[in-house]
Coordinates of all heavy atoms in Angstrom, one line a residue:
V1 N 8.4 1.7 2.9 CA 7.0 1.9 2.5 C 6.9 1.4 1.0 O 7.6 1.9 0.2 CB 6.6 3.4 2.6 CG1 5.2 3.6 2.1 CG2 6.7 3.8 4.1
L2 N 6.0 0.5 0.8 CA 5.7 0.1 -0.6 C 4.6 1.0 -1.2 O 3.8 1.5 -0.5 CB 5.2 -1.3 -0.6 CG 6.2 -2.4 -0.3 CD1 5.5 -3.8 -0.4 CD2 7.3 -2.4 -1.3
C3 N 4.7 1.2 -2.5 CA 3.7 1.9 -3.2 C 2.9 0.9 -4.1 O 3.4 0.4 -5.0 CB 4.3 3.0 -4.1 SG 3.2 4.0 -4.9
Y4 N 1.6 0.7 -3.7 CA 0.9 -0.3 -4.3 C 0.2 0.0 -5.6 O -0.3 -0.8 -6.3 CB -0.2 -0.8 -3.3 CG 0.3 -1.4 -2.1 CD1 0.3 -0.7 -0.9 CD2 0.9 -2.7 -2.0 CE1 0.8 -1.2 0.3 CE2 1.4 -3.2 -0.9 CZ 1.3 -2.5 0.3 OH 1.8 -3.0 1.4
N5 N 0.1 1.3 -5.9 CA -0.7 1.8 -7.1 C -0.2 1.3 -8.4 O -0.9 1.3 -9.4 CB -0.9 3.3 -7.1 CG 0.4 4.0 -7.3 OD1 1.5 3.5 -6.9 ND2 0.3 5.2 -7.8
T6 N 1.0 0.8 -8.4 CA 1.6 0.3 -9.7 C 1.6 -1.3 -9.8 O 2.0 -1.8 -10.8 CB 3.1 0.7 -9.9 OG1 3.8 0.2 -8.7 CG2 3.1 2.2 -9.9
F7 N 1.0 -1.9 -8.8 CA 0.9 -3.4 -8.8 C -0.5 -3.9 -9.0 O -1.5 -3.2 -8.7 CB 1.4 -3.9 -7.4 CG 2.9 -3.8 -7.2 CD1 3.4 -2.7 -6.5 CD2 3.8 -4.7 -7.8 CE1 4.8 -2.6 -6.3 CE2 5.1 -4.6 -7.6 CZ 5.6 -3.5 -6.9
P8 N -0.6 -5.1 -9.6 CA -1.9 -5.7 -9.8 C -2.7 -5.9 -8.5 O -2.1 -6.5 -7.6 CB -1.6 -7.0 -10.6 CG -0.2 -7.3 -10.2 CD 0.5 -6.0 -9.9
V9 N -3.9 -5.5 -8.5 CA -4.7 -5.6 -7.3 C -5.8 -6.7 -7.6 O -6.3 -6.8 -8.7 CB -5.4 -4.3 -7.0 CG1 -6.4 -4.4 -5.8 CG2 -4.4 -3.2 -6.7
P10 N -6.0 -7.6 -6.6 CA -7.1 -8.6 -6.8 C -8.4 -7.9 -7.0 O -8.6 -6.7 -6.7 CB -7.1 -9.4 -5.5 CG -6.2 -8.7 -4.6 CD -5.5 -7.6 -5.3
P11 N -9.4 -8.6 -7.6 CA -10.7 -7.9 -7.7 C -11.2 -7.5 -6.4 O -11.1 -8.2 -5.4 CB -11.6 -9.1 -8.3 CG -10.6 -10.0 -8.9 CD -9.4 -9.9 -8.1
L12 N -11.8 -6.3 -6.3 CA -12.2 -5.6 -5.1 C -13.7 -5.5 -5.0 O -14.3 -5.1 -6.0 CB -11.6 -4.3 -4.9 CG -10.1 -4.2 -4.9 CD1 -9.6 -2.7 -4.9 CD2 -9.5 -4.9 -3.7
S13 N -14.3 -5.7 -3.8 CA -15.7 -5.4 -3.6 C -15.8 -3.9 -3.4 O -14.8 -3.2 -3.2 CB -16.2 -6.1 -2.4 OG -15.6 -5.5 -1.2
D14 N -17.0 -3.3 -3.5 CA -17.2 -1.9 -3.3 C -16.7 -1.5 -1.9 O -16.1 -0.5 -1.7 CB -18.7 -1.5 -3.4 CG -19.1 -1.6 -4.9 OD1 -18.3 -1.6 -5.8 OD2 -20.4 -1.7 -5.1
Q15 N -16.9 -2.4 -0.9 CA -16.5 -2.1 0.5 C -15.0 -2.1 0.6 O -14.4 -1.2 1.2 CB -17.1 -3.2 1.4 CG -16.7 -3.0 2.9 CD -17.3 -4.0 3.8 OE1 -17.8 -5.1 3.3 NE2 -17.3 -3.8 5.1
E16 N -14.3 -3.0 -0.1 CA -12.8 -3.0 -0.1 C -12.3 -1.8 -0.8 O -11.3 -1.2 -0.3 CB -12.3 -4.3 -0.7 CG -12.6 -5.5 0.1 CD -12.4 -6.8 -0.7 OE1 -12.5 -6.8 -2.0 OE2 -12.1 -7.8 -0.1
R17 N -12.9 -1.4 -1.9 CA -12.4 -0.2 -2.6 C -12.6 1.0 -1.7 O -11.8 1.9 -1.6 CB -13.2 -0.1 -3.9 CG -12.7 1.0 -4.8 CD -13.4 1.0 -6.2 NE -13.4 -0.3 -6.8 CZ -12.4 -0.7 -7.6 NH1 -11.3 0.0 -7.7 NH2 -12.4 -1.9 -8.2
A18 N -13.8 1.1 -1.0 CA -14.0 2.2 -0.1 C -13.0 2.3 1.0 O -12.5 3.4 1.4 CB -15.4 2.1 0.4
R19 N -12.6 1.1 1.5 CA -11.7 1.1 2.6 C -10.3 1.6 2.1 O -9.6 2.3 2.8 CB -11.6 -0.3 3.2 CG -10.7 -0.5 4.4 CD -11.4 0.1 5.6 NE -10.5 0.0 6.7 CZ -10.1 1.0 7.5 NH1 -10.6 2.2 7.4 NH2 -9.3 0.8 8.5
L20 N -9.9 1.2 1.0 CA -8.6 1.6 0.4 C -8.7 3.2 0.2 O -7.7 3.9 0.4 CB -8.3 0.9 -0.9 CG -7.9 -0.6 -0.7 CD1 -7.7 -1.2 -2.1 CD2 -6.7 -0.7 0.1
T21 N -9.8 3.7 -0.3 CA -10.0 5.1 -0.5 C -9.8 5.8 0.9 O -9.2 6.9 0.9 CB -11.3 5.4 -1.1 OG1 -11.4 4.8 -2.4 CG2 -11.5 6.9 -1.3
E22 N -10.4 5.3 1.9 CA -10.3 5.9 3.3 C -8.8 6.0 3.7 O -8.4 7.0 4.2 CB -11.1 5.1 4.3 CG -12.6 5.2 4.2 CD -13.3 4.2 5.1 OE1 -12.6 3.6 6.0 OE2 -14.5 3.9 4.9
H23 N -8.1 4.9 3.4 CA -6.6 4.9 3.8 C -5.9 5.9 3.0 O -5.0 6.7 3.5 CB -6.0 3.5 3.5 CG -6.4 2.5 4.5 ND1 -6.2 2.6 5.8 CD2 -7.0 1.3 4.3 CE1 -6.6 1.5 6.4 NE2 -7.1 0.7 5.5
A24 N -6.2 6.0 1.7 CA -5.5 7.0 0.8 C -5.8 8.4 1.3 O -4.9 9.3 1.4 CB -6.0 6.9 -0.6
L25 N -7.0 8.7 1.7 CA -7.4 10.0 2.2 C -6.7 10.3 3.6 O -6.2 11.4 3.8 CB -8.9 10.2 2.4 CG -9.6 10.2 1.0 CD1 -11.2 10.2 1.3 CD2 -9.2 11.4 0.2
A26 N -6.6 9.3 4.4 CA -5.9 9.4 5.7 C -4.4 9.7 5.5 O -3.8 10.6 6.2 CB -6.0 8.2 6.5
I27 N -3.8 9.1 4.5 CA -2.4 9.4 4.2 C -2.3 10.9 3.7 O -1.4 11.6 4.1 CB -1.9 8.4 3.1 CG1 -1.7 7.0 3.8 CG2 -0.5 8.9 2.5 CD1 -1.4 5.9 2.8
L28 N -3.2 11.3 2.8 CA -3.1 12.7 2.3 C -3.3 13.7 3.5 O -2.6 14.7 3.6 CB -4.2 12.9 1.2 CG -3.9 12.2 -0.1 CD1 -5.1 12.4 -1.0 CD2 -2.6 12.6 -0.7
E29 N -4.2 13.4 4.4 CA -4.4 14.2 5.6 C -3.2 14.3 6.5 O -2.8 15.4 6.9 CB -5.7 13.8 6.3 CG -7.0 14.0 5.6 CD -8.1 13.3 6.3 OE1 -8.0 12.7 7.3 OE2 -9.2 13.4 5.7
A30 N -2.6 13.1 6.7 CA -1.4 13.1 7.5 C -0.3 13.9 6.8 O 0.4 14.7 7.5 CB -0.9 11.7 7.7
R31 N -0.1 13.8 5.5 CA 0.9 14.6 4.8 C 0.6 16.1 5.0 O 1.5 16.9 5.1 CB 0.9 14.2 3.4 CG 1.5 12.9 3.1 CD 1.4 12.6 1.6 NE 1.9 11.3 1.2 CZ 1.8 10.8 0.0 NH1 1.2 11.5 -1.0 NH2 2.3 9.6 -0.3
E32 N -0.7 16.4 4.9 CA -1.0 17.8 5.0 C -0.7 18.4 6.3 O -0.3 19.6 6.4 CB -2.5 18.0 4.7 CG -3.0 19.4 4.7 CD -2.4 20.3 3.6 OE1 -2.0 19.8 2.6 OE2 -2.3 21.5 3.9
R33 N -0.8 17.6 7.4 CA -0.4 18.1 8.7 C 1.1 18.4 8.8 O 1.5 19.1 9.8 CB -0.8 17.0 9.8 CG -2.3 17.0 10.0 CD -2.6 16.2 11.3 NE -2.4 14.7 11.1 CZ -3.2 13.9 10.5 NH1 -4.4 14.2 10.1 NH2 -2.9 12.6 10.5
H34 N 1.8 17.9 7.9 CA 3.3 18.2 7.8 C 3.7 18.9 6.5 O 4.7 18.6 6.0 CB 4.0 16.8 8.0 CG 3.6 16.1 9.2 ND1 4.1 16.4 10.5 CD2 2.8 15.1 9.4 CE1 3.6 15.6 11.4 NE2 2.8 14.8 10.7
S35 N 2.8 19.8 6.1 CA 3.0 20.4 4.8 C 4.3 21.3 4.8 O 4.7 21.7 3.7 CB 1.8 21.3 4.4 OG 1.6 22.3 5.4
D36 N 4.9 21.5 5.9 CA 6.1 22.3 5.9 C 7.3 21.5 5.5 O 8.4 22.0 5.4 CB 6.4 22.9 7.4 CG 6.4 21.8 8.4 OD1 5.6 20.8 8.4 OD2 7.3 21.9 9.3
R37 N 7.1 20.1 5.3 CA 8.2 19.2 5.0 C 7.9 18.7 3.6 O 6.8 18.6 3.1 CB 8.3 18.1 6.0 CG 8.6 18.6 7.4 CD 8.5 17.5 8.4 NE 9.5 16.4 8.1 CZ 9.5 15.3 8.9 NH1 8.6 15.1 9.9 NH2 10.4 14.3 8.6
T38 N 9.0 18.4 2.8 CA 8.9 17.8 1.5 C 8.5 16.3 1.6 O 8.7 15.7 2.7 CB 10.2 17.9 0.7 OG1 11.2 17.0 1.3 CG2 10.7 19.3 0.6
L39 N 8.0 15.7 0.6 CA 7.7 14.3 0.6 C 8.9 13.5 0.9 O 8.9 12.5 1.6 CB 7.0 13.9 -0.7 CG 5.6 14.2 -0.9 CD1 5.1 13.7 -2.3 CD2 4.7 13.5 0.1
G40 N 10.0 13.9 0.3 CA 11.3 13.2 0.5 C 11.6 13.2 2.0 O 12.1 12.2 2.5
D41 N 11.4 14.3 2.7 CA 11.7 14.4 4.1 C 10.7 13.6 4.9 O 11.1 13.0 5.9 CB 11.6 15.9 4.6 CG 12.8 16.7 4.1 OD1 13.8 16.1 3.7 OD2 12.7 18.0 4.1
L42 N 9.5 13.6 4.5 CA 8.5 12.8 5.2 C 8.7 11.3 5.2 O 8.3 10.6 6.1 CB 7.1 13.1 4.7 CG 6.4 14.4 4.9 CD1 5.1 14.5 4.2 CD2 6.2 14.6 6.4
Y43 N 9.4 10.9 4.2 CA 9.6 9.4 4.0 C 11.0 8.9 4.3 O 11.3 7.8 3.9 CB 9.1 9.0 2.6 CG 7.6 9.0 2.5 CD1 6.9 10.1 2.1 CD2 6.8 7.9 3.0 CE1 5.5 10.1 2.1 CE2 5.5 7.9 2.9 CZ 4.8 9.0 2.5 OH 3.4 9.0 2.5
I44 N 11.7 9.7 5.0 CA 13.0 9.2 5.6 C 12.6 8.3 6.7 O 12.0 8.7 7.7 CB 13.9 10.4 6.1 CG1 14.3 11.3 5.0 CG2 15.1 9.8 6.8 CD1 15.0 12.6 5.4
P45 N 13.0 7.0 6.6 CA 12.4 6.0 7.5 C 12.6 6.3 9.0 O 11.6 6.1 9.7 CB 13.3 4.7 7.2 CG 13.6 4.9 5.7 CD 13.8 6.4 5.5
D46 N 13.7 6.7 9.4 CA 13.8 7.0 10.9 C 13.3 8.4 11.3 O 13.4 8.7 12.5 CB 15.3 6.8 11.3 CG 16.3 7.7 10.6 OD1 16.0 8.2 9.5 OD2 17.4 7.9 11.2
K47 N 12.8 9.1 10.4 CA 12.3 10.5 10.7 C 10.9 10.7 10.3 O 10.3 11.8 10.3 CB 13.2 11.6 10.0 CG 14.6 11.6 10.5 CD 15.4 12.6 9.9 CE 16.9 12.6 10.4 NZ 17.7 13.6 9.8
M48 N 10.2 9.6 9.8 CA 8.8 9.7 9.4 C 7.9 10.0 10.6 O 8.0 9.4 11.6 CB 8.4 8.3 8.8 CG 7.0 8.3 8.2 SD 6.7 6.6 7.6 CE 6.0 7.0 6.0
P49 N 7.1 11.0 10.4 CA 6.1 11.4 11.5 C 5.3 10.2 11.9 O 4.9 9.4 11.1 CB 5.3 12.5 10.9 CG 6.1 13.0 9.8 CD 6.9 11.9 9.3
L50 N 5.1 10.0 13.2 CA 4.4 8.8 13.7 C 3.0 8.7 13.1 O 2.5 7.6 12.8 CB 4.3 8.9 15.2 CG 3.7 7.7 15.9 CD1 4.5 6.4 15.6 CD2 3.8 7.9 17.4
D51 N 2.2 9.8 13.0 CA 0.9 9.7 12.4 C 0.9 9.2 11.0 O 0.1 8.4 10.6 CB 0.1 11.0 12.5 CG 0.8 12.2 11.8 OD1 2.0 12.2 11.6 OD2 0.0 13.1 11.4
L52 N 1.9 9.6 10.2 CA 2.0 9.2 8.8 C 2.4 7.7 8.8 O 1.9 6.9 8.0 CB 3.0 10.0 8.1 CG 3.2 9.7 6.6 CD1 1.9 9.8 5.8 CD2 4.3 10.6 6.0
Q53 N 3.3 7.3 9.7 CA 3.7 5.9 9.7 C 2.5 5.0 10.1 O 2.3 4.0 9.5 CB 4.8 5.8 10.8 CG 5.3 4.4 10.9 CD 6.5 4.3 11.9 OE1 6.9 5.3 12.6 NE2 7.0 3.1 12.1
R54 N 1.7 5.5 11.0 CA 0.5 4.7 11.4 C -0.5 4.5 10.3 O -1.1 3.4 10.2 CB -0.1 5.3 12.7 CG 0.7 5.1 13.9 CD 0.0 5.6 15.1 NE 0.8 5.2 16.3 CZ 0.8 5.9 17.4 NH1 0.0 6.9 17.6 NH2 1.5 5.6 18.4
V55 N -0.8 5.6 9.6 CA -1.8 5.4 8.5 C -1.2 4.5 7.4 O -2.0 3.8 6.7 CB -2.3 6.8 7.9 CG1 -3.1 7.5 9.0 CG2 -1.2 7.6 7.4
H56 N 0.1 4.6 7.1 CA 0.7 3.6 6.2 C 0.6 2.2 6.7 O 0.4 1.3 5.9 CB 2.1 4.0 5.8 CG 2.2 5.0 4.7 ND1 2.0 4.7 3.4 CD2 2.5 6.4 4.7 CE1 2.1 5.8 2.7 NE2 2.5 6.8 3.4
E57 N 0.8 2.0 7.9 CA 0.8 0.6 8.5 C -0.7 0.1 8.4 O -0.9 -1.1 8.1 CB 1.2 0.6 9.9 CG 2.7 0.8 10.1 CD 3.2 1.1 11.5 OE1 2.3 1.2 12.4 OE2 4.4 1.1 11.7
A58 N -1.7 1.0 8.6 CA -3.1 0.5 8.4 C -3.3 0.1 7.0 O -4.0 -0.9 6.7 CB -4.0 1.7 8.9
L59 N -2.8 0.9 6.0 CA -3.0 0.6 4.6 C -2.3 -0.7 4.3 O -2.9 -1.6 3.7 CB -2.4 1.7 3.7 CG -2.3 1.3 2.2 CD1 -3.7 1.1 1.7 CD2 -1.6 2.4 1.5
D60 N -1.1 -0.9 4.8 CA -0.4 -2.2 4.6 C -1.2 -3.4 5.1 O -1.3 -4.4 4.4 CB 1.0 -2.2 5.3 CG 2.0 -1.3 4.6 OD1 1.7 -0.8 3.5 OD2 3.1 -1.0 5.2
K61 N -1.8 -3.2 6.3 CA -2.5 -4.3 6.9 C -3.8 -4.7 6.0 O -4.1 -5.8 5.7 CB -3.0 -4.0 8.3 CG -3.7 -5.1 9.0 CD -4.0 -4.7 10.4 CE -4.8 -5.8 11.1 NZ -5.1 -5.5 12.5
T62 N -4.4 -3.6 5.5 CA -5.6 -3.9 4.6 C -5.2 -4.5 3.3 O -5.8 -5.5 2.9 CB -6.3 -2.5 4.3 OG1 -6.8 -2.0 5.6 CG2 -7.5 -2.7 3.4
V63 N -4.1 -4.0 2.7 CA -3.6 -4.6 1.5 C -3.2 -6.1 1.7 O -3.4 -7.0 0.9 CB -2.5 -3.8 0.8 CG1 -1.9 -4.5 -0.4 CG2 -3.1 -2.4 0.4
D64 N -2.5 -6.3 2.8 CA -2.0 -7.7 3.2 C -3.3 -8.6 3.2 O -3.2 -9.7 2.7 CB -1.3 -7.7 4.5 CG 0.0 -7.1 4.5 OD1 0.6 -6.9 3.4 OD2 0.5 -6.8 5.6
N65 N -4.3 -8.1 3.8 CA -5.5 -8.9 3.9 C -6.2 -9.2 2.5 O -6.7 -10.3 2.3 CB -6.6 -8.3 4.8 CG -6.2 -8.3 6.3 OD1 -5.5 -9.3 6.7 ND2 -6.6 -7.4 7.1
L66 N -6.1 -8.2 1.7 CA -6.6 -8.4 0.3 C -5.9 -9.5 -0.4 O -6.5 -10.2 -1.3 CB -6.6 -7.1 -0.5 CG -7.5 -6.0 -0.1 CD1 -7.2 -4.7 -0.8 CD2 -8.9 -6.4 -0.2
Y67 N -4.6 -9.7 -0.1 CA -3.8 -10.7 -0.8 C -3.7 -12.0 0.0 O -3.1 -12.9 -0.3 CB -2.3 -10.2 -1.0 CG -2.2 -9.2 -2.1 CD1 -2.4 -7.8 -2.0 CD2 -2.0 -9.7 -3.4 CE1 -2.3 -7.0 -3.0 CE2 -1.9 -8.8 -4.5 CZ -2.0 -7.5 -4.3 OH -2.0 -6.6 -5.4
G68 N -4.5 -12.0 1.1 CA -4.5 -13.2 1.9 C -3.3 -13.5 2.8 O -3.0 -14.6 3.1
A69 N -2.6 -12.4 3.1 CA -1.3 -12.5 3.9 C -1.5 -12.0 5.3 O -2.3 -11.0 5.5 CB -0.2 -11.8 3.2
I70 N -0.9 -12.6 6.2 CA -0.9 -12.1 7.6 C 0.5 -11.8 8.0 O 1.4 -12.6 8.0 CB -1.5 -13.2 8.5 CG1 -2.9 -13.5 8.1 CG2 -1.4 -12.7 10.0 CD1 -3.6 -14.6 8.8
T71 N 0.8 -10.5 8.3 CA 2.1 -10.0 8.7 C 3.3 -10.5 7.8 O 4.2 -11.0 8.4 CB 2.3 -10.2 10.2 OG1 2.4 -11.6 10.4 CG2 1.3 -9.5 11.0
P72 N 3.2 -10.3 6.5 CA 4.3 -10.7 5.7 C 5.5 -9.7 5.9 O 5.3 -8.6 6.2 CB 3.8 -10.7 4.3 CG 2.7 -9.6 4.4 CD 2.1 -9.7 5.7
S73 N 6.7 -10.2 5.5 CA 7.8 -9.3 5.5 C 7.8 -8.5 4.2 O 6.9 -8.8 3.3 CB 9.1 -10.1 5.5 OG 9.2 -10.9 4.3
T74 N 8.6 -7.5 4.0 CA 8.6 -6.7 2.8 C 8.9 -7.7 1.6 O 8.3 -7.5 0.5 CB 9.6 -5.6 2.9 OG1 9.2 -4.7 4.0 CG2 9.7 -4.8 1.6
T75 N 9.9 -8.6 1.8 CA 10.2 -9.5 0.7 C 9.0 -10.4 0.3 O 8.8 -10.6 -0.8 CB 11.4 -10.4 1.2 OG1 12.5 -9.5 1.4 CG2 11.8 -11.4 0.1
E76 N 8.3 -10.9 1.3 CA 7.1 -11.7 1.0 C 6.1 -10.9 0.3 O 5.4 -11.4 -0.6 CB 6.6 -12.3 2.3 CG 7.5 -13.3 2.9 CD 7.1 -13.7 4.3 OE1 6.6 -12.9 5.1 OE2 7.3 -14.9 4.7
R77 N 5.9 -9.6 0.7 CA 4.9 -8.7 0.0 C 5.3 -8.6 -1.4 O 4.5 -8.7 -2.3 CB 4.9 -7.4 0.7 CG 4.1 -7.3 1.9 CD 4.0 -5.8 2.4 NE 3.2 -5.7 3.6 CZ 3.7 -5.3 4.7 NH1 5.0 -4.9 4.8 NH2 2.9 -5.3 5.8
L78 N 6.6 -8.3 -1.7 CA 7.0 -8.2 -3.1 C 6.8 -9.4 -3.9 O 6.4 -9.4 -5.0 CB 8.5 -7.7 -3.1 CG 8.7 -6.3 -2.7 CD1 10.2 -6.0 -2.5 CD2 8.1 -5.3 -3.6
E79 N 7.1 -10.6 -3.3 CA 6.9 -11.9 -3.9 C 5.4 -12.1 -4.3 O 5.1 -12.5 -5.4 CB 7.4 -13.0 -3.1 CG 8.9 -13.1 -3.0 CD 9.4 -14.1 -2.0 OE1 8.6 -14.7 -1.3 OE2 10.6 -14.3 -1.8
M80 N 4.5 -11.7 -3.4 CA 3.1 -11.9 -3.6 C 2.7 -11.0 -4.8 O 1.9 -11.4 -5.7 CB 2.3 -11.5 -2.4 CG 2.3 -12.6 -1.3 SD 1.2 -12.2 0.1 CE 1.6 -10.5 0.4
L81 N 3.2 -9.8 -4.8 CA 2.8 -8.8 -5.8 C 3.3 -9.3 -7.2 O 2.6 -9.2 -8.2 CB 3.3 -7.4 -5.5 CG 2.6 -6.8 -4.3 CD1 3.4 -5.5 -3.9 CD2 1.2 -6.4 -4.6
F82 N 4.6 -9.7 -7.2 CA 5.1 -10.2 -8.5 C 4.5 -11.5 -9.0 O 4.3 -11.7 -10.2 CB 6.6 -10.3 -8.4 CG 7.3 -8.9 -8.5 CD1 8.0 -8.4 -7.5 CD2 7.2 -8.2 -9.7 CE1 8.6 -7.2 -7.5 CE2 7.8 -6.9 -9.8 CZ 8.5 -6.4 -8.7
D83 N 4.1 -12.4 -8.0 CA 3.4 -13.6 -8.4 C 2.1 -13.2 -9.0 O 1.7 -13.8 -10.0 CB 3.2 -14.5 -7.2 CG 4.5 -15.2 -6.8 OD1 5.5 -15.2 -7.5 OD2 4.5 -15.8 -5.6
R84 N 1.4 -12.3 -8.4 CA 0.1 -11.9 -9.0 C 0.2 -11.3 -10.4 O -0.5 -11.5 -11.3 CB -0.6 -10.9 -8.0 CG -1.9 -10.4 -8.6 CD -3.0 -10.4 -7.5 NE -4.2 -10.0 -8.1 CZ -5.1 -10.9 -8.6 NH1 -4.9 -12.2 -8.5 NH2 -6.2 -10.5 -9.1
Y85 N 1.3 -10.5 -10.5 CA 1.5 -9.9 -11.8 C 1.8 -11.0 -12.9 O 1.3 -10.9 -14.0 CB 2.7 -8.9 -11.7 CG 3.1 -8.3 -13.1 CD1 2.4 -7.3 -13.6 CD2 4.2 -8.8 -13.8 CE1 2.7 -6.7 -14.8 CE2 4.6 -8.3 -15.0 CZ 3.8 -7.3 -15.5 OH 4.1 -6.7 -16.8
E86 N 2.6 -11.9 -12.5 CA 2.9 -13.0 -13.5 C 1.6 -13.8 -13.8 O 1.4 -14.1 -15.0 CB 3.9 -14.0 -12.8 CG 5.3 -13.5 -12.9 CD 6.3 -14.6 -12.3 OE1 6.0 -15.8 -12.5 OE2 7.3 -14.2 -11.7
H87 N 0.8 -14.0 -12.8 CA -0.4 -14.8 -13.1 C -1.4 -14.0 -14.0 O -1.9 -14.5 -15.0 CB -1.2 -15.0 -11.7 CG -2.5 -15.6 -11.9 ND1 -2.7 -17.0 -12.3 CD2 -3.7 -15.2 -11.7 CE1 -3.9 -17.2 -12.3 NE2 -4.6 -16.2 -12.0
M88 N -1.4 -12.7 -13.8 CA -2.3 -11.8 -14.6 C -1.8 -11.7 -16.0 O -2.5 -11.8 -17.0 CB -2.5 -10.4 -14.0 CG -3.3 -10.5 -12.7 SD -3.4 -8.8 -11.9 CE -4.4 -8.0 -13.1
T89 N -0.5 -11.5 -16.2 CA 0.1 -11.4 -17.5 C 0.0 -12.7 -18.3 O -0.1 -12.7 -19.5 CB 1.5 -10.8 -17.5 OG1 2.3 -11.6 -16.7 CG2 1.5 -9.4 -17.0
A90 N 0.2 -13.8 -17.6 CA 0.1 -15.1 -18.2 C -1.4 -15.3 -18.8 O -1.6 -15.9 -19.9 CB 0.4 -16.2 -17.2
A91 N -2.4 -14.9 -18.0 CA -3.7 -15.0 -18.4 C -4.0 -14.1 -19.7 O -4.7 -14.5 -20.6 CB -4.7 -14.6 -17.3
E92 N -3.4 -13.0 -19.7 CA -3.5 -12.1 -20.9 C -2.8 -12.7 -22.1 O -3.4 -12.6 -23.2 CB -2.9 -10.7 -20.6 CG -3.7 -9.9 -19.6 CD -2.9 -8.6 -19.3 OE1 -1.9 -8.3 -19.8 OE2 -3.5 -7.9 -18.4
T93 N -1.7 -13.4 -21.9 CA -1.0 -14.0 -23.0 C -1.8 -15.2 -23.6 O -1.9 -15.3 -24.8 CB 0.4 -14.5 -22.5 OG1 1.1 -13.5 -22.0 CG2 1.2 -15.2 -23.7
V94 N -2.5 -15.9 -22.8 CA -3.3 -17.0 -23.2 C -4.5 -16.5 -24.0 O -4.9 -17.1 -25.0 CB -3.8 -17.9 -22.0 CG1 -4.8 -18.9 -22.4 CG2 -2.6 -18.6 -21.4
A95 N -5.1 -15.4 -23.5 CA -6.3 -14.8 -24.1 C -5.9 -14.2 -25.5 O -6.8 -14.1 -26.3 CB -6.9 -13.8 -23.2
A96 N -4.7 -13.8 -25.7 CA -4.3 -13.1 -26.9 C -4.1 -14.1 -28.1 O -4.3 -15.0 -28.5 CB -3.0 -12.4 -26.7

């Protein structure tokens, strides 16, 4: 499971931002349904509750679409995120 909140996000429309918020709330709700377990326990890959796994997959699909990717591998996702970071920091360096 990737954590996107620390990576550069492309400019978002209000609708895209609302959709990401819906996913975040769905993840929090799924975690709450398993409040008897720690976050560490919830995210053990082969023991992750199915409902939590599904809401994370939905988030991944939405984020993939925001980056223009269709079913990328984890490595491809990371490459896209780091490429975007390089592009953004290069633009900041030129502006400075």
Side-chain angles (χ1 to χ4, degrees):
V1 175
L2 289 179
C3 184
Y4 299 104
N5 64 332
T6 59
F7 289 97
V9 177
L12 301 173
S13 69
D14 290 342
Q15 183 179 12
E16 291 166 332
R17 189 175 303 279
R19 185 73 180 129
L20 290 175
T21 300
E22 290 172 15
H23 287 302
L25 293 173
I27 289 169
L28 293 175
E29 290 169 3
R31 288 177 183 173
E32 183 62 30
R33 286 191 292 275
H34 304 280
S35 62
D36 59 319
R37 297 172 63 184
T38 67
L39 282 177
D41 289 340
L42 286 176
Y43 286 92
I44 297 171
D46 60 338
K47 295 181 181 179
M48 184 181 225
L50 187 57
D51 61 333
L52 183 59
Q53 184 177 358
R54 286 185 177 155
V55 292
H56 272 287
E57 289 169 354
L59 171 62
D60 287 348
K61 184 175 181 179
T62 296
V63 172
D64 290 342
N65 288 332
L66 292 174
Y67 282 91
I70 300 172
T71 62
S73 67
T74 298
T75 300
E76 291 168 329
R77 280 187 182 117
L78 289 170
E79 288 172 356
M80 287 186 310
L81 292 168
F82 283 115
D83 286 346
R84 177 134 187 93
Y85 177 78
E86 282 184 34
H87 176 71
M88 290 176 70
T89 56
E92 289 174 4
T93 302
V94 171

